[in-house]
């Protein structure tokens, strides 16, 4: 599983705006380069979210690439780091945090890695994932996460399931590690709960 990179506001010995190490580097083909966007002074923070509700009149987000799936602020951070983003779905070496769901990962998922490039041997990367999901599959997945020991967090617009990794695990400032977020039309994943803020909001 991917390790949680430090936010760019934290000073580390490897340089300014360098995010900390994630999981072992992979070698799939690159998807796209991250285009420039508006400057950002600090990383956004994720907000907890509420019980998923059906909203038939609201169109769910449809992301077809890792560049589309992230916020403009994070896209700028990627560009400033000289990084690119690529989708590891279908690659020989990669990961999908949705593979653990009953019935497997949803069709149309993106399992995104951001770093120097898929051909670069480094673990200095950041992983995010997104997928569309229907209500039945979301309920089944959330039941699995509850049984696996994830803690449920209620808020506005989504239901989140997060871990408390404790000492030695990657966690945000509030102590939350690996987190899944169900919005009612999609599911999002990040190494820490705070990193969910890098994924673009629902349309």
């Amino acid at each position: 599983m991917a390790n949680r990179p430090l936010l760019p506001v934290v000073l580390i010995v490897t340089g300014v705006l360098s995010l900390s190490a994630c999981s072992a580097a992979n070698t799939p083909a690159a998807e796209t380069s991250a285009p420039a966007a508006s400057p950002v002074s600090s990383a956004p923070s994720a907000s907890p979210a509420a019980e998923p509700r059906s909203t038939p009149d609201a169109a769910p987000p449809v992301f077809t690439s890792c560049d589309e799936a992230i916020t403009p602020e994070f896209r700028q951070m990627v560009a400033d780091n000289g990084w690119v983003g690529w989708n590891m779905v279908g690659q020989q070496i990669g990961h999908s945090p949705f593979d653990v769901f009953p019935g497997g990962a949803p069709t149309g998922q993106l399992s995104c890695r951001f770093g120097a490039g898929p051909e670069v041997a480094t673990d200095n990367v950041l992983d995010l994932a997104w997928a569309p999901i229907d209500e039945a599959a979301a309920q089944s997945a959330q039941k699995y996460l509850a049984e696996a020991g994830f803690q449920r967090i209620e808020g506005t617009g989504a239901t989140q399931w997060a871990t408390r990794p404790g000492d030695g695990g990657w966690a945000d400032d509030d102590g939350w590690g690996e987190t899944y977020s169900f919005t009612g039309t999609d599911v999002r994943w990040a190494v820490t709960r705070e990193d969910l803020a890098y994924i673009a909001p629902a349309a």
Side-chain angles (χ1 to χ4, degrees):
M1 185 185 81
N3 291 329
R4 191 259 183 206
L6 300 179
L7 296 178
V9 295
V10 180
L11 296 178
I12 59 176
V13 296
T14 56
V16 177
L17 276 180
S18 176
L19 303 177
S20 70
C22 291
S23 65
N26 293 292
T27 57
E31 181 185 6
T32 72
S33 295
S38 57
V40 58
S41 57
S42 63
S45 59
S47 300
E51 187 74 23
R53 294 174 295 180
S54 296
T55 53
D57 296 332
V62 178
F63 303 130
T64 59
S65 73
C66 293
D67 285 341
E68 289 181 3
I70 59 177
T71 63
E73 293 81 7
F74 183 59
R75 192 177 300 118
Q76 182 65 53
M77 290 164 54
V78 169
D80 289 346
N81 256 14
W83 282 7
V84 295
W86 64 96
N87 186 11
M88 295 187 291
V89 173
Q91 301 297 327
Q92 184 176 3
I93 299 176
H95 85 295
S96 171
F98 306 132
D99 285 344
V100 298
F101 288 177
T107 301
Q109 67 163 324
L110 294 172
S111 185
C112 300
R113 173 157 288 177
F114 299 91
E119 73 289 349
V120 178
T122 177
D123 59 1
N124 189 27
V125 296
L126 189 148
D127 293 342
L128 301 169
W130 170 90
I133 195 168
D134 61 36
E135 183 177 355
Q139 289 179 354
S140 179
Q142 291 181 76
K143 180 180 178 182
Y144 164 81
L145 293 172
E147 293 171 350
F150 283 71
Q151 297 184 40
R152 181 173 180 146
I153 306 170
E154 298 292 351
T156 302
T159 297
Q160 297 179 351
W161 294 85
T163 58
R164 289 275 194 189
D167 294 339
W170 290 103
D172 61 23
D173 291 341
D174 294 324
W176 295 110
E178 180 183 11
T179 306
Y180 293 83
S181 181
F182 296 82
T183 71
T185 58
D186 65 17
V187 57
R188 295 135 187 267
W189 173 91
V191 177
T192 74
R193 184 172 179 239
E194 187 174 49
D195 289 345
L196 286 169
Y198 293 139
I199 303 176

